[in-house]
């Protein structure tokens, strides 16, 4: 996710310890963080890997100096991440050799943080002693990007988790690596899982955890059809797209569903809305929010009800975050974009194919959409696609693409980071209320 973050909190915490850089610098006002979910065998979210970029001028997540400020970046990013976590979920964070030697992992709690040792770290005596100490202090260790290369046996003996890069790997090669790892007491995590076929293959081979883009792609099964309840929700989505939709009709839709009524009143009376009195009437709530906000609220809620699984909820988080990000950031760029309402829907509907396990071409024919928006969702409008690419690259920690796209769209890094932080907070708050 991206969670391409910048916060005043970070600035406040660090302003006395390091001068804030300007322009292309690497000051604490340029802290970028992405998250990628890690799933267990039942497709529940076990935890997240955090991907960092130390400064706006960096082209990747690499940390060059390994100094105290870098450790603070990780500590602050971890603090942001804990707001997303549920009970017993873990956070994986990459540590190069210099940061291991400096003891940077100790800035994080051992019951939550998993120390991920980069593949570039050679297991010399100093590194092994540090890893042993971390284990004794209760930290879990993960070895990153393992592909079966020799020389890592001492680290394999200490590792609780080994991440195997399965991208493009043949089944027989993967079986060989799994067989080699069986003599070590470690769990296996398949990373860069791109599709359902590889997920099933790794699960059969005994992998415990899975990471990659497969969860956000359509998982089409032969002969699968939308259920009647899903069809009803799509029809309601179409109704919400009508230009003549009025408050009376919206109120009627909500009053006809006990769950929608309860969640609307819970949402509008939440502390984040800032009201000084309780709203007890559906009609009053609809009028107070206004046509645009209530329609957006209903769309998100309908999507949340399409699939209640943890995988779908994580996917909806990304979609909702994209929606609020694109709605706001398009006004800050120099490139052409659609109206803010359409940009919101672009983000919100960008993963409908994965949520419904149906081709996007079929889905967009069933709901009322602006023609340009329909073209973007079907990949037919490269000009508008760049905005969606920006949001998705940030979610995946693809900082080189983020940097290139920001320049193309004429959006400053600071505006993008600030807007994304706000979108992340809004998405998290909304999903907590539904």
């Amino acid at each position: 996710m991206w969670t391409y973050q910048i916060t005043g909190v970070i600035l406040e915490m660090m302003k006395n310890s390091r001068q804030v850089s300007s322009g292309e610098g690497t000051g604490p006002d340029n802290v970028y963080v992405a998250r990628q979910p890690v799933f267990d065998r039942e497709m529940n979210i076990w935890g997240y890997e955090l991907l960092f970029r130390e400064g706006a001028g960096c082209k990747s997540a690499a940390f060059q100096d390994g100094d105290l400020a870098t450790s603070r970046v990780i500590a602050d990013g971890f603090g942001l991440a804990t707001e997303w976590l549920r009970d017993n979920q873990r956070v994986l964070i990459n540590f190069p050799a210099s940061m291991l030697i400096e003891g940077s992992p100790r800035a994080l709690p051992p019951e939550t943080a998993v120390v991920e040792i980069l593949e570039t770290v050679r297991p010399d005596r100093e590194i092994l002693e540090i890893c042993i100490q971390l284990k004794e202090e209760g930290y879990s260790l993960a070895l990153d990007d393992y592909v079966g290369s020799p020389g890592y046996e001492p680290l394999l003996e200490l590792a609780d988790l080994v991440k195997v890069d399965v991208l493009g790997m043949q089944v027989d090669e993967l079986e060989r690596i799994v067989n080699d790892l069986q003599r070590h007491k470690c769990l296996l995590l398949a990373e860069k899982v791109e599709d359902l076929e590889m997920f099933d293959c790794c699960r059969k081979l005994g992998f415990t955890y899975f990471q990659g883009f497969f969860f956000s792609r359509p998982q089409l099964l032969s002969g699968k059809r939308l259920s009647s309840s899903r069809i009803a929700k799509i029809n309601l989505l179409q109704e919400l797209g009508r230009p003549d939709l009025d408050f009376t009709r919206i109120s009627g839709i909500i009053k006809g569903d006990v769950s929608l009524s309860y969640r609307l009143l819970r949402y509008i009376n939440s502390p984040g809305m800032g009201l000084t009195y309780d709203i007890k009437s559906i009609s009053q709530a609809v009028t107070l929010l206004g046509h645009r906000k209530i329609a957006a609220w209903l769309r998100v809620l309908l999507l949340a009800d399409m699939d209640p699984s943890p995988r779908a909820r994580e996917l909806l988080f990304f979609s909702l975050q994209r929606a609020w990000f694109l709605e706001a950031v398009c006004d800050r760029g120099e490139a052409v974009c659609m109206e803010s309402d359409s940009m919101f829907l672009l983000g919100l509907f960008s993963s409908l194919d994965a949520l419904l396990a149906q081709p996007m071409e079929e889905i967009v024919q069933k709901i009322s959409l602006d023609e340009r928006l329909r073209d973007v969702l079907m990949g037919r409008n490269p000009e508008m696609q760049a905005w969606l690419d920006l949001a998705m690259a940030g979610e995946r920690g693809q900082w080189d693409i983020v940097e290139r796209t920001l320049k193309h769209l004429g959006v400053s890094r600071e505006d993008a980071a600030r807007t994304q932080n706000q979108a992340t907070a809004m998405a998290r708050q909304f999903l907590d209320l539904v």
Side-chain angles (χ1 to χ4, degrees):
M1 131 196 202
W2 347 1
T3 356
Y4 189 19
Q5 305 261 11
I6 174 174
T7 70
V9 174
I10 294 177
L11 288 172
E12 190 65 28
M13 290 175 63
M14 300 181 66
K15 67 182 180 181
N16 294 325
S17 61
R18 183 176 180 182
Q19 184 177 1
V20 177
S21 303
S22 59
E24 295 294 316
T26 59
D29 57 331
N30 294 316
V31 178
Y32 301 149
V33 186
R35 80 177 191 184
Q36 190 175 37
V38 177
F39 294 88
D40 64 18
R41 295 173 62 85
E42 285 71 46
M43 287 296 288
N44 295 311
I45 297 175
W46 173 75
Y48 297 92
E49 179 174 6
L50 298 190
L51 307 171
F52 294 91
R53 190 175 76 168
E54 186 183 9
C58 299
K59 301 296 184 183
S60 70
F63 296 104
Q64 301 299 325
D65 54 12
D67 61 8
L68 175 61
T70 297
S71 300
R72 290 295 301 273
V73 167
I74 287 184
D76 292 336
F78 178 85
L80 293 169
T82 56
E83 298 181 16
W84 316 322
L85 296 181
R86 303 303 181 200
D87 292 342
N88 301 319
Q89 289 182 342
R90 309 297 296 274
V91 172
L92 291 85
I93 299 177
N94 292 325
F95 288 92
S98 60
M99 294 186 67
L100 288 172
I101 293 171
E102 290 171 359
S104 296
R106 294 186 175 93
L108 309 176
E111 63 272 11
T112 304
V114 177
V115 178
E116 192 168 331
I117 304 170
L118 291 175
E119 69 277 8
T120 55
V121 177
R122 301 303 301 178
D124 56 29
R125 178 178 297 178
E126 185 176 21
I127 290 295
L128 291 175
E129 288 178 353
I130 290 169
C131 289
I132 291 172
Q133 291 173 10
L134 289 172
K135 290 274 290 185
E136 291 175 347
E137 293 168 19
Y139 287 91
S140 297
L141 303 182
L143 182 60
D144 190 30
D145 282 341
Y146 183 76
V147 292
S149 303
Y152 287 91
E153 287 77 13
L155 279 178
L156 289 172
E157 286 299 314
L158 295 171
D160 301 279
L161 187 65
V162 174
K163 300 180 69 175
V164 180
D165 185 344
V166 303
L167 183 63
M169 192 175 290
Q170 300 299 316
V171 176
D172 56 348
E173 184 181 5
L174 188 55
E175 288 178 340
R176 178 184 60 80
I177 291 177
V178 171
N179 290 334
D180 288 343
L181 289 171
Q182 284 180 345
R183 66 178 183 272
H184 302 288
K185 298 178 181 179
C186 57
L187 299 177
L188 302 184
L189 187 157
E191 60 178 337
K192 298 182 182 177
V193 180
E194 295 287 294
D195 51 46
L196 186 61
E197 182 180 1
M198 179 58 79
F199 171 66
D200 287 337
C201 174
C202 292
R203 188 161 54 175
K204 290 175 182 176
L205 288 174
F207 282 82
T208 303
Y209 303 114
F210 310 86
Q211 182 179 9
F213 299 152
F214 77 102
F215 82 97
S216 62
R217 298 186 176 188
Q219 299 181 5
L220 300 180
L221 304 177
S222 177
K224 185 167 183 176
R225 295 289 184 269
L226 292 177
S227 66
S228 58
S229 62
R230 284 186 168 186
I231 292 174
K233 289 180 173 63
I234 288 178
N235 290 336
L236 187 48
L237 284 175
Q238 184 167 9
E239 178 75 10
L240 291 170
R242 293 170 56 96
D244 59 344
L245 184 63
D246 58 27
F247 289 131
T248 301
R249 188 178 298 164
I250 294 178
S251 297
I253 290 171
I254 298 172
K255 289 177 181 177
D257 188 306
V258 174
S259 176
L260 287 180
S261 299
Y262 166 75
R263 285 186 281 183
L264 173 58
L265 292 177
R266 183 169 179 252
Y267 171 65
I268 200 166
N269 289 313
S270 64
M273 298 300 292
L275 299 179
T276 57
Y277 55 93
D278 286 345
I279 303 298
K280 300 179 180 179
S281 161
I282 298 299
S283 299
Q284 186 182 9
V286 170
T287 302
L288 186 63
L289 284 175
H291 176 283
R292 179 174 169 274
K293 286 188 177 180
I294 195 66
W297 178 84
L298 272 174
R299 287 188 181 106
V300 176
L301 207 58
L302 289 169
L303 293 181
D305 285 348
M306 292 281 189
D307 186 343
S309 69
R311 167 191 170 274
R313 190 174 181 86
E314 180 72 9
L315 189 55
L316 181 58
F317 181 94
F318 283 134
S319 300
L320 188 53
Q321 179 185 253
R322 289 175 203 163
W324 271 312
F325 171 74
L326 292 176
E327 179 185 46
V329 80
C330 65
D331 292 334
R332 304 177 184 274
E334 299 172 359
V336 175
C337 66
M338 297 178 289
E339 296 78 11
S340 60
D341 285 359
S342 293
M343 295 299 286
F344 180 90
L345 287 179
L346 173 60
L348 187 63
F349 289 167
S350 59
S351 296
L352 270 181
D353 51 352
L355 275 170
L356 300 178
Q358 294 282 307
M360 187 65 81
E361 291 80 0
E362 294 181 11
I363 296 171
V364 296
Q365 301 304 321
K366 300 172 183 176
I367 52 179
S368 178
L369 294 174
D370 175 85
E371 185 176 353
R372 279 203 301 172
L373 176 56
R374 181 180 290 110
D375 287 344
V376 184
L377 289 172
M378 291 193 293
R380 298 174 183 171
N381 189 327
E383 188 176 40
M384 294 297 108
Q385 181 68 38
W387 292 99
L388 187 57
D389 290 343
L390 172 63
M392 296 177 70
E395 292 167 10
R396 297 172 178 182
Q398 297 171 326
W399 305 125
D400 54 338
I401 298 177
V402 169
E403 198 74 24
R404 188 167 59 248
T405 309
L406 284 173
K407 184 176 181 180
H408 169 69
L409 296 174
V411 179
S412 74
R413 303 181 186 99
E414 292 73 18
D415 280 345
R418 188 177 300 108
T419 303
Q420 185 64 24
N421 188 58
Q422 294 167 352
T424 301
M426 293 169 70
R428 182 175 62 246
Q429 179 187 25
F430 187 93
L431 289 182
D432 283 344
L433 291 172
V434 300

